[in-house]
Amino acid sequence: MDSRDLRIDQARTSIEFLGSDAHEYLPHLAVDCVVFGVHEGDLRILLTHWTKRDRWSLPGGFVRNDESVDETASRVLRMRTGLDDVFLEQFHTFGSLDRGHPGADRFVSVGYYALVDFSMATPTPDGILTDECRWWNLCGRPDLLFDHDEMVARALGTLRLQLGTRPIGLTLFPDDFTLPELQRLYETVLGRSLDRRNFQKKMRELGILTRVGEKSTENSRRAPYLYRFDAEKYAEALERGDSLAY
Amino acid sequence: MDSRDLRIDQARTSIEFLGSDAHEYLPHLAVDCVVFGVHEGDLRILLTHWTKRDRWSLPGGFVRNDESVDETASRVLRMRTGLDDVFLEQFHTFGSLDRGHPGADRFVSVGYYALVDFSMATPTPDGILTDECRWWNLCGRPDLLFDHDEMVARALGTLRLQLGTRPIGLTLFPDDFTLPELQRLYETVLGRSLDRRNFQKKMRELGILTRVGEKSTENSRRAPYLYRFDAEKYAEALERGDSLAY
DNA sequence: TCAAAAGTGTTTTGGTTACACCCATGT
DNA sequence: ACATGGGTGTAACCAAAACACTTTTGA
């Protein structure tokens, strides 16, 4: 798809364009994505800003006739971040009667959550309905449009439940990181503080980390070590069914 | 709703009737239910038999304009079993491109699973597309139409995960039962055998069971005790977050 | 009297939790 | 020197797993 086609495709994802191209999409059905990333130790999510309403929402899109719902989610993610082949999983479908734009048709939304490499994503608004797309710190995000606050809460709940069975650490920390950084992620997802000693012991014992070197001191007093996930051992651990949950 | 209206409503749930009353339903969207019950110690599911195809499928229905997707699931369950107010929860949405009746429109299905009192349900076919609706032993059920085998597998996986956090025992065993019966349920859901001593100890220690009396020996050598769930204590245990998983 | 199913308690073990001290560095 | 954040090991505790014997009753 060249950039012009991409542009058109992006436009078609916006609700105003459903009227003219309605036959290309399944009516009343949408997909919304909760995209997680980590930067400076904080868990962040991707939001899009609606020009007219001056409010924020999750990135979303409509389901084309010729694609599966999973593919819709991939497409939405690709259009908003440029990323492909990332962790992306359905977590819940929202079907209340009052869903949809006020005065417009009622919509059912399939919610997906994604785990992406923050540094690889290039947030891109559709340029039609939304004029900005950017990362927000999960704690500190604005109130969202529609029922998207509930979606975020539920995505986070799913993430919490699956912390032990999905490659969450590996996906959100593809590069070097320090154990305090990783611990902050776990604490954010779990919503409670963890004991530093126990956390480090457990992570070390899992045997999925490689110590890379010392971190050149940036903001801390003593320089923490840098680690990297060993992708193979990580996969083996998941395969074995080892719980990576804290 | 009187019985004539119910009849009409049932008919409208069938795909052949979507043509004439299409404006009353969301197109391309359906709900399918995996209804679990227990009888004679076995875990069973409710299936409907398609007259023309001579095959079995999960009970399902379409989403009306004036109801939420959750309400669709309740309605489907009510029409097929006569039951209301039962445990009913969404577990996954199926959106592959190849879903739907061959040659007909493509459909996206929201899957729900229900836990019902076997003895209270009166299985009822819609009488239009399906001429029979009955319980099947989970192990021993026929191959199902569409992707419904995958749905059952996934519903079972969800049940397994949620065994410790939902009122599964209480809902599936509303009346008296024996601990070996309860253990068989756990073993079926978990797909592995459990230690009798540990199982009984754990269940007793949870403090949610009341011993009712001795079972008049039916098929066993020594008569097992009869128990009943204490609904209040069960609810309290779930509230506290006690794990009821084995 | 023997085979089959049911009831019960103890020991072991492994994982989680709690907890205290020393190290490095910037102020 | 001291305040701040980082690294490490040990003891206590609890829940799960392993395990053996006795009781009942139909054949």
Side-chain angles (χ1 to χ4, degrees):
Chain A
M1 194 190 294
D2 67 31
S3 73
R4 190 179 149 276
D5 287 340
L6 181 64
R7 181 82 187 185
I8 290 172
D9 202 54
Q10 286 177 345
R12 282 182 179 149
T13 303
S14 300
I15 192 166
E16 262 79 12
F17 288 76
L18 266 184
S20 46
D21 284 337
H23 61 282
E24 293 189 15
Y25 295 89
L26 296 193
H28 306 288
L29 194 59
V31 161
D32 289 297
C33 296
V34 182
V35 185
F36 291 105
V38 169
H39 187 55
E40 290 174 357
D42 290 322
L43 187 58
R44 315 207 171 194
I45 59 174
L46 201 64
L47 297 179
T48 55
H49 180 261
W50 290 61
T51 318
K52 285 186 188 169
R53 297 166 178 251
D54 191 23
R55 298 273 304 278
W56 296 82
S57 84
L58 294 172
F62 302 106
V63 182
R64 298 181 59 101
N65 286 324
D66 60 356
E67 70 186 358
S68 70
V69 179
D70 284 352
E71 283 164 356
T72 305
S74 301
R75 182 168 53 82
V76 167
L77 195 63
R78 192 187 327 119
M79 291 195 298
R80 296 292 145 260
T81 65
L83 296 176
D84 233 318
D85 287 320
V86 301
F87 179 94
L88 181 62
E89 203 170 287
Q90 184 191 312
F91 65 92
H92 191 72
T93 294
F94 299 81
S96 332
L97 205 44
D98 59 4
R99 295 194 79 265
H101 298 248
D105 278 348
R106 164 242 187 129
F107 263 87
V108 172
S109 250
V110 185
Y112 284 76
Y113 79 100
L115 306 175
V116 311
D117 180 353
F118 179 93
S119 67
M120 296 292 286
T122 31
T124 314
D126 62 18
I128 311 295
L129 283 176
T130 61
D131 55 3
E132 196 180 352
C133 182
R134 71 169 179 90
W135 292 100
W136 283 80
N137 198 319
L138 185 69
C139 324
R141 87 195 107 106
D143 286 342
L144 303 182
L145 281 167
F146 321 123
D147 54 357
H148 288 195
D149 286 313
E150 186 195 341
M151 285 195 186
V152 172
R154 199 154 192 142
L156 203 56
T158 304
L159 192 58
R160 193 170 300 164
L161 283 174
Q162 304 192 334
L163 196 56
T165 53
R166 308 290 140 118
I168 289 175
L170 180 60
T171 312
L172 291 179
F173 285 108
D175 297 322
D176 299 351
F177 57 89
T178 68
L179 285 183
E181 279 172 349
L182 186 62
Q183 183 175 342
R184 253 201 306 283
L185 168 67
Y186 270 71
E187 289 177 333
T188 306
V189 171
L190 294 175
R192 64 192 167 96
S193 58
L194 304 173
D195 183 280
R196 186 163 36 97
R197 296 159 288 201
N198 293 336
F199 183 81
Q200 298 212 7
K201 175 157 49 85
K202 174 142 190 178
M203 286 299 150
R204 273 187 269 114
E205 283 171 356
L206 280 171
I208 58 179
L209 294 179
T210 312
R211 186 179 285 185
V212 182
E214 291 248 349
K215 187 181 190 181
S216 59
T217 177
E218 283 182 9
N219 47 5
S220 70
R221 307 306 168 129
R222 174 176 178 175
Y225 290 107
L226 282 174
Y227 290 86
R228 192 174 298 168
F229 280 111
D230 182 325
E232 277 185 31
K233 287 182 182 166
Y234 200 123
E236 284 169 19
L238 286 176
E239 200 69 31
R240 271 197 309 276
D242 288 8
S243 172
L244 307 186
Y246 180 75
Chain B
M1 194 191 293
D2 67 33
S3 72
R4 190 179 151 276
D5 286 343
L6 182 65
R7 182 83 188 184
I8 291 171
D9 202 55
Q10 286 177 344
R12 281 182 180 150
T13 303
S14 299
I15 192 166
E16 265 78 11
F17 289 76
L18 267 184
S20 47
D21 285 336
H23 61 284
E24 294 189 14
Y25 296 89
L26 296 194
H28 305 290
L29 194 58
V31 161
D32 289 297
C33 296
V34 182
V35 185
F36 291 105
V38 169
H39 188 56
E40 290 173 357
D42 290 323
L43 187 59
R44 315 206 170 194
I45 60 173
L46 200 64
L47 298 178
T48 56
H49 180 262
W50 290 61
T51 317
K52 286 187 187 166
R53 298 166 177 251
D54 191 23
R55 297 273 304 279
W56 295 82
S57 85
L58 295 172
F62 302 106
V63 182
R64 299 181 58 100
N65 287 324
D66 59 357
E67 70 185 0
S68 69
V69 179
D70 284 352
E71 283 163 355
T72 305
S74 301
R75 181 168 54 81
V76 167
L77 195 63
R78 193 185 327 121
M79 291 195 296
R80 294 294 144 260
T81 64
L83 296 177
D84 233 319
D85 287 321
V86 300
F87 179 95
L88 181 62
E89 201 170 287
Q90 185 191 311
F91 65 91
H92 192 72
T93 294
F94 300 81
S96 331
L97 206 43
D98 59 4
R99 295 193 80 263
H101 298 247
D105 278 349
R106 165 248 184 123
F107 264 86
V108 171
S109 251
V110 185
Y112 282 77
Y113 79 100
L115 307 175
V116 311
D117 179 354
F118 179 91
S119 66
M120 295 292 286
T122 32
T124 313
D126 63 18
I128 311 295
L129 283 178
T130 61
D131 55 3
E132 197 181 351
C133 182
R134 71 169 179 92
W135 293 100
W136 283 79
N137 199 319
L138 185 70
C139 325
R141 85 196 109 105
D143 285 343
L144 303 183
L145 281 167
F146 320 123
D147 55 357
H148 288 195
D149 285 313
E150 186 196 341
M151 284 194 185
V152 171
R154 199 150 193 147
L156 203 55
T158 304
L159 192 57
R160 193 170 299 164
L161 283 173
Q162 304 192 335
L163 196 56
T165 53
R166 308 289 140 120
I168 288 175
L170 180 60
T171 311
L172 291 179
F173 285 109
D175 297 322
D176 299 351
F177 57 89
T178 68
L179 284 183
E181 278 172 350
L182 185 63
Q183 183 175 343
R184 253 201 306 283
L185 167 66
Y186 270 70
E187 288 178 336
T188 307
V189 171
L190 294 174
R192 64 192 167 94
S193 59
L194 304 173
D195 183 279
R196 187 163 33 96
R197 297 159 288 202
N198 292 335
F199 183 80
Q200 299 212 4
K201 175 157 51 83
K202 173 142 190 179
M203 286 298 150
R204 274 187 270 115
E205 282 171 357
L206 281 171
I208 58 179
L209 295 179
T210 312
R211 185 179 286 186
V212 182
E214 292 248 348
K215 187 179 190 182
S216 58
T217 175
E218 283 182 11
N219 47 4
S220 69
R221 308 305 167 129
R222 174 175 177 173
Y225 291 107
L226 282 175
Y227 289 85
R228 192 175 296 168
F229 281 113
D230 182 325
E232 277 186 30
K233 287 181 182 168
Y234 200 123
E236 284 168 20
L238 286 176
E239 201 68 32
R240 271 196 308 277
D242 288 7
S243 172
L244 307 186
Y246 180 77

